[in-house]
Amino acid sequence: MDLSYTAEEQAFRQEVRSFLDEKLPKEMSDAVREGRGLGKEGHDRWHAILNEQGWLAPNWPQEFGGCGWNAVQRHIFEEECCRAHAPRIVPFGLSMLAPVLQKFGSKEQQDYYLPKILNGEHWWCQGYSEPGAGSDLASLKTKAVREGDHYIVNGQKTWTTLGQYANWIFCLVRTDPDAKQQEGISFLLIDMDTPGIEVRPIILLDGTHEVNEVWFTDVKVPVENLVGEENKGWTYAKYLLTHERTNIAGVGFSQAGLDAVKRLARSQMHKGRPLIENPYFAARVAQAEIDLMAMSTTNLRIISAAASGQAPGVESSMLKVKGTEIRQEINDMARRAAGVYAMPFASEAVEGGNEPPIGPEGTAPVAAQYFNNRKLSIFGGSNEIQKNIIAKVKMGGRA
Amino acid sequence: MDLSYTAEEQAFRQEVRSFLDEKLPKEMSDAVREGRGLGKEGHDRWHAILNEQGWLAPNWPQEFGGCGWNAVQRHIFEEECCRAHAPRIVPFGLSMLAPVLQKFGSKEQQDYYLPKILNGEHWWCQGYSEPGAGSDLASLKTKAVREGDHYIVNGQKTWTTLGQYANWIFCLVRTDPDAKQQEGISFLLIDMDTPGIEVRPIILLDGTHEVNEVWFTDVKVPVENLVGEENKGWTYAKYLLTHERTNIAGVGFSQAGLDAVKRLARSQMHKGRPLIENPYFAARVAQAEIDLMAMSTTNLRIISAAASGQAPGVESSMLKVKGTEIRQEINDMARRAAGVYAMPFASEAVEGGNEPPIGPEGTAPVAAQYFNNRKLSIFGGSNEIQKNIIAKVKMGGRA
Amino acid sequence: MNFDLTEERQMLQDSLRRFLSDRYTTSVRNEILEGESGYSADIWGQLAELGVIGALFSEEDGGFGGAGFDISTVFEELGRAGVVEPLLDTALLGGGLIAALGNDSQKELVEEVIGGAVQLAFAHGEPTSRYETSRVETTATVDGAEIILKGQKAVVVNAEAADHLIVSARESGDADSTDGISLFLVPRDTAGLSMRGYALLAGGRAAEVDLDGVRLPETARLGAAGGAYSAIADALARAEVALAAETLGAMETATELTRQYLLTRTQFGRPIGTFQALQHRVADLLIELEQARSAVINAAGHLEGDARLRDLNIAAARNLIGRAGRLVAEDSIQMHGGIAMTQEYELAHIAKRIVMAEHRFGDADTQLERFLDLSAA
Amino acid sequence: MNFDLTEERQMLQDSLRRFLSDRYTTSVRNEILEGESGYSADIWGQLAELGVIGALFSEEDGGFGGAGFDISTVFEELGRAGVVEPLLDTALLGGGLIAALGNDSQKELVEEVIGGAVQLAFAHGEPTSRYETSRVETTATVDGAEIILKGQKAVVVNAEAADHLIVSARESGDADSTDGISLFLVPRDTAGLSMRGYALLAGGRAAEVDLDGVRLPETARLGAAGGAYSAIADALARAEVALAAETLGAMETATELTRQYLLTRTQFGRPIGTFQALQHRVADLLIELEQARSAVINAAGHLEGDARLRDLNIAAARNLIGRAGRLVAEDSIQMHGGIAMTQEYELAHIAKRIVMAEHRFGDADTQLERFLDLSAA
């Protein structure tokens, strides 16, 4: 057992830190720290900066343009990006679709799509969830019927994050209506400019436009956009979901969030003393910090095991649950810290805008973030689903 | 709405208080306050004092020797008894068996058994639970086979509280082995002196002998000891369980417990100040007190509704869950307050004995009580069973 | 002891519940949320006509209620329907303060409030006062027959719509002394008074108010100079009972929506309400709901008595409801899943009302501290 | 970074686990619990032979381990099996203090400890010191070539069995000053030393120790006069890592017993482990178990470094394990039902070990305060 990083790992951390110091635009890190959105342009810009450095695709094999980092290096990179308030890399093309194409896509698909993910030409979004399906993905209803060398797609997807910026969508569609639930599903790549596609915004409870419905009416998709084999899409979908789980613990986000809470609680006065000195608030912060210290080590244990070739199993479900609980607890503390100034509806502060936010520095976005991040325990496999998985594995398949 | 007691109710409270001042022996209230057991003699003595006053059976109809009190008066009586650290009235004969006999027993049974419950000649215990049955009472296996004018009883009962003091036991037995689970059960009264009965102690995790196993080997029970009809015992059992639920909230116990915690925390020093002034300990006490204030009103609401003729429904399950949670939380605070002096195994302090207890006043029994009272959420219908009941009623029978 | 509503209150409850369930639908309310004024003048007028505002005032003040259980009855219903109309600000705080301190001429406004003709706002909190009710740094200086107000007021709910603001200002004493605070009735268009308005996350609107040498006649003062604190404390006590009851009502709706959703929504081929893990969580919510209901009864029932006991029961209720409310809001969203994350869904609004109520007059931790202080007193 | 045990520790873990699972069965342990001495001399000898005691000392001190991960490896196994033998008191505290402060002649005892031939107890806490490690009111007065000890020591674990007590006493300074505390090696049969022994709720024995003018030669002092506090703090740090690891082990057993029970026990016609509400609670326990495991790794891994960072990680681990341990103990009992309430059932003992560990060196609240103090430092 050794809790310290090797000299090489420390040097790598230094390299990442220097890069971020130099290349991360200040207005961008300010926006992230203050909880403001970046818009498409912001995301594109950061994407391009990373691509130029060759650090855009840490999880890709080097043959496809990945960085060749091991799990610990990827962790260090993520940790430093969070600490520096770098924007989150939009994951749909890079972390979700790309691994599927790299494993199951044809050579032609790999050659065509992967470079366009890196150079930003394609902005991907996901077409997994459907209304009424929730965590029960396999019950999806959007169907694709083969007609000649096209599929005709009809149906509706939902919870499509940043679909308003995307020009491509990867979709799970039902190609065999008679097969049992998880069979008869295929994995299709669809150009969002195809006629018959309509993107409708969903406004979340904090007033943000971050997810969408995507409607398909007789949308013609060339058969060469099928990934792998017809009716085998469920296999690829599960593979994708496993990869979605990287950085599932969100340690870096929690650490940055906790720092922000402390900053806010140092400046907010409560009965004539900084709030951070109030024993009840201090206890909340300390317990979250203690929980996070432990979870961070659990995360490193799993990363370290992965680095030595062990596949993460049920541990990623445990990290998902604990990680989201901690992040949500931190969001709760932040709203408490803001006091009465949690009340304003600061959607402009979140989405960008010119008026200065209401209230002292750091208070404007916290209540909205508290509500927005209720999604953490719902989306990406709800925490209840994760507990079902844990029980199934640990209770000897009796679940 | 009116939260205050009527003048009559206040006068009644005064009457109860005067009685307790005068008649409750000090050594008895000291023992209760210090968490020491009373032994059979102590219980018998208090029982006789109450019987002499005519206050032994608050929940009996007056025709059988009850006090004729309404629900609010009974609540006041219980509250004052807890406040004065009066011993708990052993409920098996008075509160559990008697209502069954009063409703379903024959005139002969009523005339024979009820006076002996009041005068203390019969000490009853319960023969409901069986090993392996737990909360699933209906799966019981003890069987009674009719032979002439006797039943021959074979089987085993468990968790028989204070069975070591009892000379009679009421039992659920299976009289029709072919009937479905809840059918084929009968309700028998059995003299513990009958040959073939063996009582074996179960020592609980805090070292106390409070429950027992009762083994039956070819025990001959006269048929006139059958209550009601053969194979209809489940009906009587359910009726009994409903009556077991009186004072289910345990408000008086919690109030007395909270007072004890405060006393202890005022005398224990933590970093040079009384523990009660420590913000974290104070917060625990305050939250329990706040929860108890609310639960106490819920309890009164239900009592008040019962007094005006409404039958308590799912509310008693809610009270059971919340009431036991609060009591267990208070036990947890008490053990915290005791600090290192929670560590001694003070079984002699609990069961009575001559050596003075280890540690400052009030610390000796707290850890044992903490462990002992884990039973509160297990016995009498576990809290999980209560939640099933709540869900069944409130989720439209879908549970 | 008696836990039944009086016949009058039962009728008020019934008629208000019926009115809101007929007229204050999700779509009507969502339109109000998008609107400019933060509330619906139409709904306001009808509430006044129904007698809902009058129920919050005593007969002496021209109403026909005003007791703790009147307030809790009305606000529980408002909470159930997620009403954002500013009854707490215009009636309980604004109207209540004028009724308590005003002279006969000032008190004419109360009648207009009851009739639904006037909107008020209580400009009391300041940018650094957080939840401290006696912390007032805004100054009132006598200048001949005039008074000059200088200072900033923070998150003044309903300020933009208010015809008059009731502004607290200090005439003497330290920044957090209870002595020396006065109240002034300030017409919104008074020179020197400016504001920056904004929507609130849970509905309604508020403003940051700037008092840049606002000149008022001495007759604008409510009550004696420097002696307003006790009336402020009384009004806030009434407002906190109202807020606790409102949150209770919202918790009832959240739990009921969840219960209904679980019975109808299917997943993996069965209603999700048949999954035991969710059933037990609903049972937990129902148990907390009963706790919250009792806490509101305790607070409302002690509103008219001894001030320490009143505040102790209020702090207890608000602490309990702060904790239980968070559980109900978060678990209701969680058990619904994605649908509850969308702005237009009823639960989203209800959950925001529940959680954001903690930010008026002190969150659960602040109430716990207050309970401890009062227990020690 | 590396989270694998070294080969040596892996071997130690394997052999200790095998030994305990073969020899330290529930019935063997329950007999020990009923016994007079609080532990089994037979088991003790075999643990010494297995090298378990030696693993807790550095090579310099005659052992072959002594690092944080040696301690955590050993005590996690002891915890899994619910071992009540006084390794913490005799080896880590007693032996550790002699190794740290003793002169060559005194240090001969360490060898005997490692060989299993000697029992020790650390008589440090006092009736009013609670969890404060520097609060020592027992006095040591020099009288010619002798030292006189006067005072009371509270809940001295293993005192009756100990051949020597290591007694802390104050030679100078205020009652809670870290300066001025000395340690003395006191043979148990020394005149003036008396004790009242008793069993502990979670197994083992302790005593209230009275020092009524105990006269010792000056050579009984360990280290410099008044300078023992830092060694005490080091020894307590090692003991807290041990206790955290022991509790982790006990939590593993509690969770595993529960998991197994739920799979085999049937109710309402099916294994109760198929009820989803219970499945989710087991999942919660497993999640907390991973948290506890990481907290122990953090504490053990920082045992040799900077003292503030060491204590911060220890306080964090003990706070987390205090909270998680209570959850695991209570929920394991609850999910078992009645059977877990009986003294003879394995879980009953394990649950008591978990909960009562909070009462040595500070419960979760006390550890939280300590974490906050260290964070601010």
Side-chain angles (χ1 to χ4, degrees):
Chain A
M1 293 251 196
D2 185 358
L3 302 190
S4 49
Y5 287 94
T6 64
E8 292 77 27
E9 287 161 352
Q10 285 176 33
F12 176 74
R13 185 184 292 278
Q14 200 44 60
E15 188 188 350
V16 173
R17 211 173 274 192
S18 306
F19 162 75
L20 291 167
D21 276 353
E22 202 181 315
K23 296 292 176 58
L24 173 62
K26 182 169 181 317
E27 65 272 24
M28 216 172 255
S29 57
D30 284 350
V32 171
R33 204 183 56 247
E34 292 162 16
R36 284 184 277 119
L38 292 175
K40 182 170 188 311
E41 301 67 31
H43 282 292
D44 281 343
R45 189 172 157 208
W46 180 235
H47 191 106
I49 292 170
L50 286 172
N51 191 35
E52 197 185 321
Q53 178 78 5
W55 287 2
L56 182 57
N59 59 328
W60 289 18
Q62 263 179 296
E63 50 177 307
F64 294 116
C67 319
W69 292 341
N70 63 24
V72 175
Q73 286 175 307
R74 290 204 296 273
H75 168 75
I76 290 171
F77 179 70
E78 277 162 7
E79 200 170 62
E80 290 301 320
C81 284
C82 282
R83 187 194 309 242
H85 304 289
R88 192 176 174 190
I89 303 172
V90 178
F92 307 104
L94 281 158
S95 309
M96 295 170 76
L97 175 62
V100 171
L101 290 180
Q102 287 159 9
K103 182 151 177 104
F104 303 104
S106 65
K107 180 77 172 56
E108 292 70 27
Q109 287 171 335
Q110 292 172 351
D111 289 347
Y112 180 76
Y113 292 108
L114 295 176
K116 290 184 167 56
I117 290 174
L118 287 179
N119 70 21
E121 197 178 324
H122 287 179
W123 180 307
W124 285 89
C125 64
Q126 63 87 2
Y128 263 43
S129 304
E130 294 191 4
S135 292
D136 180 13
L137 262 188
S139 71
L140 63 88
K141 293 199 179 65
T142 296
K143 60 171 196 262
V145 179
R146 177 93 184 240
E147 288 190 5
D149 51 4
H150 282 81
Y151 289 100
I152 308 299
V153 179
N154 279 285
Q156 186 194 345
K157 295 291 179 180
T158 192
W159 309 127
T160 304
T161 304
L162 300 184
Q164 70 266 42
Y165 300 154
N167 48 12
W168 280 80
I169 183 168
F170 55 86
C171 279
L172 290 182
V173 293
R174 189 165 294 284
T175 36
D176 181 352
D178 300 324
K180 273 192 288 181
Q181 276 221 333
Q182 293 172 13
E183 293 159 29
I185 290 171
S186 298
F187 193 109
L188 276 188
L189 310 176
I190 308 180
D191 185 337
M192 300 275 280
D193 288 336
T194 320
I197 296 182
E198 189 192 349
V199 178
R200 298 184 194 166
I202 298 174
I203 305 302
L204 291 186
L205 79 176
D206 61 331
T208 52
H209 173 202
E210 150 180 317
V211 291
N212 302 271
E213 292 175 348
V214 183
W215 295 68
F216 299 86
T217 313
D218 295 332
V219 175
K220 279 181 76 173
V221 181
V223 289
E224 57 264 33
N225 288 16
L226 176 75
V227 175
E229 289 179 55
E230 198 177 86
N231 295 336
K232 298 278 187 222
W234 186 248
T235 309
Y236 320 142
K238 277 195 303 182
Y239 184 78
L240 181 154
L241 288 177
T242 317
H243 274 261
E244 193 189 1
R245 298 259 172 81
T246 32
N247 194 23
I248 201 165
V251 172
F253 294 114
S254 283
Q255 193 56 60
L258 201 52
D259 290 345
V261 165
K262 288 184 187 176
R263 264 198 312 276
L264 186 52
R266 272 193 288 267
S267 67
Q268 284 285 304
M269 299 299 280
H270 176 81
K271 299 194 176 173
R273 306 285 312 160
L275 179 63
I276 193 89
E277 295 177 17
N278 175 270
Y280 304 113
F281 197 82
R284 288 185 190 271
V285 173
Q287 285 201 355
E289 191 157 0
I290 287 168
D291 289 346
L292 182 55
M293 283 165 69
M295 192 193 56
S296 170
T297 293
T298 309
N299 192 41
L300 289 171
R301 284 198 281 133
I302 292 170
I303 285 170
S304 165
S308 64
Q310 298 166 45
V314 74
E315 291 84 0
S316 66
S317 289
M318 295 188 182
L319 278 177
K320 164 74 165 46
V321 174
K322 188 44 95 173
T324 54
E325 282 174 359
I326 291 175
R327 281 178 73 183
Q328 290 177 334
E329 182 62 26
I330 291 169
N331 287 136
D332 182 72
M333 278 187 268
R335 90 171 158 82
R336 273 174 210 285
V340 290
Y341 278 114
M343 291 171 68
F345 188 11
S347 67
E348 68 274 17
V350 177
E351 281 296 293
N354 293 323
E355 263 198 291
I358 306 295
E361 196 187 325
T363 59
V366 295
Q369 284 169 349
Y370 164 86
F371 285 105
N372 185 279
N373 273 345
R374 297 315 307 170
K375 74 185 174 198
L376 295 176
S377 48
I378 295 174
F379 296 156
S382 74
N383 284 12
E384 288 75 20
I385 294 288
Q386 306 300 336
K387 289 183 189 179
N388 284 348
I389 293 171
I390 295 167
K392 193 165 180 177
V393 172
K394 296 287 187 172
M395 303 292 278
R398 297 256 198 172
Chain B
M1 293 252 194
D2 186 357
L3 302 190
S4 48
Y5 287 95
T6 62
E8 291 77 25
E9 287 161 351
Q10 285 175 32
F12 176 74
R13 185 185 292 278
Q14 201 45 58
E15 188 189 350
V16 173
R17 211 173 274 192
S18 306
F19 162 74
L20 291 167
D21 277 351
E22 202 180 313
K23 295 290 176 62
L24 173 61
K26 182 167 183 315
E27 65 272 25
M28 214 173 254
S29 58
D30 283 350
V32 171
R33 203 183 57 246
E34 291 161 18
R36 284 185 278 120
L38 292 176
K40 181 168 189 309
E41 300 67 31
H43 281 293
D44 281 343
R45 188 172 159 206
W46 180 235
H47 191 106
I49 293 170
L50 287 172
N51 191 36
E52 196 185 323
Q53 177 78 6
W55 287 2
L56 182 59
N59 60 327
W60 289 19
Q62 265 179 295
E63 51 178 306
F64 294 115
C67 319
W69 292 342
N70 65 23
V72 175
Q73 286 174 305
R74 289 203 297 271
H75 167 77
I76 290 171
F77 179 69
E78 278 162 6
E79 201 169 63
E80 290 303 320
C81 284
C82 283
R83 189 193 308 241
H85 304 289
R88 194 177 174 189
I89 303 172
V90 178
F92 307 104
L94 282 158
S95 308
M96 296 171 76
L97 175 64
V100 171
L101 290 181
Q102 288 160 9
K103 184 152 174 104
F104 304 105
S106 65
K107 179 78 173 55
E108 291 70 26
Q109 287 171 335
Q110 292 171 351
D111 288 347
Y112 181 75
Y113 292 107
L114 294 176
K116 291 187 167 55
I117 291 174
L118 288 179
N119 71 21
E121 197 178 324
H122 286 180
W123 180 307
W124 286 90
C125 64
Q126 63 87 3
Y128 263 42
S129 303
E130 295 190 4
S135 292
D136 181 12
L137 262 189
S139 71
L140 64 89
K141 293 198 179 66
T142 296
K143 61 172 194 266
V145 179
R146 175 95 184 238
E147 288 189 6
D149 51 3
H150 282 82
Y151 289 101
I152 308 299
V153 178
N154 278 285
Q156 185 194 348
K157 295 291 178 179
T158 192
W159 309 127
T160 304
T161 303
L162 300 184
Q164 70 266 41
Y165 300 154
N167 49 9
W168 281 80
I169 183 168
F170 55 86
C171 279
L172 291 181
V173 294
R174 188 165 296 284
T175 35
D176 180 353
D178 301 325
K180 274 195 286 180
Q181 277 224 330
Q182 294 172 12
E183 294 159 28
I185 290 172
S186 297
F187 194 108
L188 277 189
L189 311 177
I190 307 180
D191 185 336
M192 299 277 279
D193 288 333
T194 320
I197 296 183
E198 190 193 348
V199 178
R200 299 185 193 166
I202 298 174
I203 305 302
L204 291 187
L205 79 177
D206 61 331
T208 51
H209 173 203
E210 163 177 306
V211 291
N212 302 271
E213 292 174 347
V214 182
W215 294 68
F216 299 86
T217 313
D218 295 332
V219 174
K220 280 181 77 174
V221 181
V223 290
E224 58 264 32
N225 288 16
L226 176 75
V227 175
E229 288 179 56
E230 198 178 86
N231 296 334
K232 297 280 186 219
W234 186 248
T235 309
Y236 319 142
K238 278 194 304 184
Y239 183 77
L240 182 154
L241 289 175
T242 318
H243 274 261
E244 192 189 2
R245 296 262 171 78
T246 32
N247 194 23
I248 200 164
V251 172
F253 294 115
S254 283
Q255 193 56 61
L258 202 53
D259 290 346
V261 165
K262 286 184 186 176
R263 263 197 314 274
L264 186 53
R266 271 193 289 266
S267 66
Q268 284 284 305
M269 300 298 281
H270 176 82
K271 297 192 177 174
R273 306 283 313 158
L275 178 63
I276 194 88
E277 295 178 16
N278 174 270
Y280 304 113
F281 196 82
R284 287 185 190 272
V285 174
Q287 286 200 356
E289 191 157 1
I290 288 168
D291 289 346
L292 181 56
M293 284 164 68
M295 192 193 55
S296 170
T297 293
T298 308
N299 192 42
L300 289 172
R301 284 199 278 132
I302 292 171
I303 286 170
S304 163
S308 64
Q310 296 164 46
V314 74
E315 291 84 1
S316 66
S317 291
M318 295 187 182
L319 278 177
K320 163 73 166 46
V321 175
K322 189 43 100 176
T324 54
E325 283 174 0
I326 291 176
R327 281 179 72 183
Q328 291 178 333
E329 182 63 25
I330 290 169
N331 287 137
D332 182 72
M333 277 187 269
R335 93 173 155 82
R336 274 174 208 284
V340 290
Y341 277 113
M343 292 171 69
F345 187 11
S347 66
E348 69 275 16
V350 177
E351 280 297 292
N354 293 324
E355 264 198 291
I358 306 295
E361 197 188 325
T363 59
V366 295
Q369 284 170 349
Y370 164 85
F371 285 105
N372 186 279
N373 273 345
R374 299 314 307 168
K375 74 185 174 196
L376 294 176
S377 48
I378 295 175
F379 296 154
S382 74
N383 284 12
E384 288 75 21
I385 295 288
Q386 305 300 336
K387 289 184 189 180
N388 284 348
I389 293 171
I390 297 167
K392 191 163 182 179
V393 172
K394 294 290 186 172
M395 303 293 277
R398 295 257 200 173
Chain C
M1 234 166 10
N2 174 5
F3 293 95
D4 298 324
L5 286 181
T6 58
E7 209 174 311
E8 291 78 10
R9 287 181 188 135
Q10 186 68 58
M11 281 173 58
L12 175 67
Q13 184 184 59
D14 290 347
S15 63
L16 180 52
R17 186 176 297 186
R18 205 164 39 236
F19 169 72
L20 292 171
S21 120
D22 290 350
R23 296 290 320 278
Y24 208 80
T25 58
T26 303
S27 60
V28 166
R29 209 254 330 291
N30 285 349
E31 237 172 79
I32 296 171
L33 289 177
E34 303 281 315
E36 297 267 296
S37 67
Y39 73 101
S40 153
D42 177 33
I43 295 286
W44 187 261
Q46 294 185 60
L47 287 171
E49 230 169 83
L50 268 175
V52 173
I53 304 178
L56 304 174
F57 291 89
S58 67
E59 286 184 36
E60 195 187 7
D61 294 326
F64 47 87
F69 290 118
D70 296 307
I71 294 172
S72 63
T73 302
V74 166
F75 276 86
E76 186 181 338
E77 293 308 315
L78 297 176
R80 287 171 60 96
V83 170
V84 300
E85 275 55 29
L87 274 95
L88 191 144
D89 301 281
T90 290
L92 275 190
L93 288 171
L97 285 165
I98 298 172
L101 292 176
N103 55 35
D104 287 350
S105 134
Q106 290 165 331
K107 277 192 181 175
E108 283 168 19
L109 264 178
V110 174
E111 205 179 315
E112 292 188 63
V113 165
I114 292 173
V118 153
Q119 288 286 349
L120 300 173
F122 181 32
H124 181 49
E126 301 187 353
T128 63
S129 65
R130 202 173 171 86
Y131 302 127
E132 282 167 84
T133 56
S134 68
R135 186 162 192 90
V136 173
E137 295 188 277
T138 296
T139 56
T141 320
V142 177
D143 183 28
E146 285 191 327
I147 290 160
I148 307 170
L149 303 184
K150 258 186 190 311
Q152 272 101 42
K153 293 292 178 179
V155 197
V156 181
V157 178
N158 205 35
E160 296 163 302
D163 301 289
H164 302 267
L165 278 71
I166 291 152
V167 177
S168 64
R170 184 165 291 288
E171 300 206 60
S172 62
D174 293 338
D176 50 13
S177 166
T178 53
D179 288 333
I181 302 171
S182 299
L183 291 179
F184 300 93
L185 202 51
V186 185
R188 198 198 34 208
D189 54 6
T190 309
L193 185 158
S194 63
M195 58 180 72
R196 177 183 170 193
Y198 46 84
L200 296 174
L201 182 61
R205 292 183 64 82
E208 300 299 289
V209 173
D210 190 61
L211 303 153
D212 185 16
V214 171
R215 284 186 170 268
L216 303 168
E218 280 234 45
T219 54
R221 192 190 282 114
L222 286 162
Y229 183 75
S230 147
I232 292 174
D234 290 348
L236 289 175
R238 293 157 57 82
E240 291 216 66
V241 168
L243 197 55
E246 187 193 325
T247 310
L248 168 65
M251 288 164 66
E252 287 165 15
T253 298
T255 308
E256 180 57 19
L257 286 169
T258 303
R259 203 180 69 78
Q260 292 292 349
Y261 187 79
L262 295 186
L263 289 175
T264 50
R265 165 85 162 155
T266 61
Q267 207 164 60
F268 304 106
R270 48 195 265 219
I272 57 178
T274 59
F275 288 99
Q276 196 198 28
L278 300 188
Q279 290 179 343
H280 279 204
R281 285 164 72 177
V282 171
D284 284 332
L285 300 193
L286 290 165
I287 291 168
E288 291 307 318
L289 204 52
E290 288 309 311
Q291 285 285 91
R293 189 184 315 286
S294 289
V296 168
I297 289 171
N298 288 345
H302 285 92
L303 191 52
E304 282 84 33
D306 167 73
R308 193 193 73 93
L309 211 54
R310 170 193 79 188
D311 290 346
L312 194 78
N313 276 281
I314 288 172
R318 294 266 294 149
N319 169 267
L320 191 149
I321 287 176
R323 289 181 283 135
R326 182 184 168 196
L327 180 79
V328 168
E330 294 184 352
D331 256 28
S332 293
I333 292 175
Q334 183 69 26
M335 287 193 268
H336 271 80
I339 180 82
M341 292 295 299
T342 63
Q343 188 162 50
E344 63 179 23
Y345 188 70
E346 180 70 10
L347 177 63
H349 174 71
I350 293 290
K352 283 187 275 183
R353 296 295 291 179
I354 294 170
V355 172
M356 297 314 292
E358 261 203 280
H359 294 270
R360 282 200 95 171
F361 320 128
D363 66 354
D365 287 355
T366 308
Q367 300 290 356
L368 188 74
E369 280 186 296
R370 191 177 160 205
F371 181 86
L372 280 165
D373 289 345
L374 290 160
S375 297
Chain D
M1 235 165 10
N2 175 4
F3 292 94
D4 298 324
L5 286 181
T6 58
E7 210 172 310
E8 289 79 11
R9 286 179 190 137
Q10 186 69 57
M11 280 172 56
L12 176 67
Q13 184 183 60
D14 291 347
S15 62
L16 182 52
R17 185 175 299 186
R18 206 164 36 235
F19 169 72
L20 292 171
S21 118
D22 289 350
R23 295 290 319 278
Y24 209 80
T25 57
T26 303
S27 60
V28 166
R29 208 253 332 291
N30 284 351
E31 238 172 80
I32 297 171
L33 289 177
E34 302 282 315
E36 297 267 296
S37 66
Y39 73 101
S40 152
D42 177 35
I43 296 286
W44 187 262
Q46 295 185 58
L47 288 171
E49 230 169 83
L50 268 175
V52 172
I53 303 177
L56 304 175
F57 290 88
S58 68
E59 287 183 36
E60 198 186 4
D61 293 328
F64 47 87
F69 290 119
D70 296 307
I71 294 171
S72 63
T73 302
V74 165
F75 276 86
E76 186 181 339
E77 293 309 314
L78 298 176
R80 287 171 60 96
V83 170
V84 299
E85 274 56 29
L87 276 93
L88 192 143
D89 301 280
T90 290
L92 274 189
L93 289 171
L97 285 165
I98 298 172
L101 292 176
N103 55 35
D104 286 350
S105 134
Q106 290 165 330
K107 277 192 180 176
E108 282 169 19
L109 265 178
V110 174
E111 206 178 313
E112 293 187 62
V113 166
I114 293 173
V118 154
Q119 289 286 350
L120 300 173
F122 181 33
H124 180 51
E126 301 185 356
T128 62
S129 64
R130 203 172 168 89
Y131 303 126
E132 284 167 84
T133 56
S134 68
R135 188 162 190 90
V136 174
E137 295 188 274
T138 296
T139 56
T141 320
V142 177
D143 182 27
E146 285 191 326
I147 291 161
I148 307 170
L149 303 184
K150 257 187 192 306
Q152 271 100 43
K153 293 293 178 179
V155 198
V156 180
V157 179
N158 205 35
E160 295 163 304
D163 301 289
H164 302 266
L165 277 72
I166 291 151
V167 177
S168 63
R170 182 165 293 286
E171 300 205 58
S172 63
D174 292 337
D176 51 11
S177 165
T178 54
D179 289 332
I181 301 171
S182 298
L183 292 180
F184 300 92
L185 200 52
V186 185
R188 198 199 34 206
D189 54 6
T190 308
L193 185 157
S194 62
M195 58 180 72
R196 178 183 169 194
Y198 46 83
L200 295 174
L201 183 61
R205 293 184 64 84
E208 301 298 289
V209 173
D210 189 60
L211 302 153
D212 184 15
V214 172
R215 285 188 169 264
L216 303 169
E218 279 236 44
T219 53
R221 191 190 281 115
L222 286 163
Y229 185 75
S230 146
I232 293 174
D234 290 349
L236 289 175
R238 294 157 56 83
E240 290 216 66
V241 167
L243 197 55
E246 187 192 327
T247 311
L248 167 66
M251 288 164 66
E252 287 166 13
T253 298
T255 309
E256 180 58 17
L257 286 170
T258 304
R259 201 180 71 78
Q260 291 293 350
Y261 187 79
L262 295 186
L263 289 175
T264 50
R265 164 85 162 156
T266 62
Q267 206 163 62
F268 303 107
R270 46 195 266 220
I272 57 179
T274 60
F275 288 100
Q276 196 196 29
L278 299 188
Q279 290 179 342
H280 279 204
R281 284 164 72 177
V282 172
D284 284 332
L285 299 193
L286 291 165
I287 291 168
E288 291 307 319
L289 204 53
E290 288 309 311
Q291 286 285 92
R293 191 185 313 287
S294 290
V296 168
I297 290 171
N298 288 345
H302 285 91
L303 191 52
E304 282 85 33
D306 169 72
R308 193 192 73 91
L309 210 56
R310 173 193 76 188
D311 291 345
L312 194 77
N313 277 281
I314 288 173
R318 294 265 295 150
N319 169 267
L320 191 147
I321 287 176
R323 289 183 282 135
R326 183 185 169 197
L327 179 80
V328 167
E330 294 184 353
D331 257 26
S332 293
I333 291 175
Q334 184 69 27
M335 288 193 267
H336 271 81
I339 180 81
M341 291 295 298
T342 62
Q343 188 164 47
E344 62 178 26
Y345 189 68
E346 181 70 11
L347 177 63
H349 174 71
I350 293 289
K352 283 187 273 183
R353 296 295 291 178
I354 294 170
V355 172
M356 296 315 291
E358 261 202 281
H359 294 270
R360 282 199 92 170
F361 319 129
D363 67 353
D365 287 356
T366 308
Q367 300 290 356
L368 189 74
E369 280 187 296
R370 189 176 160 205
F371 181 86
L372 280 164
D373 289 345
L374 289 159
S375 298

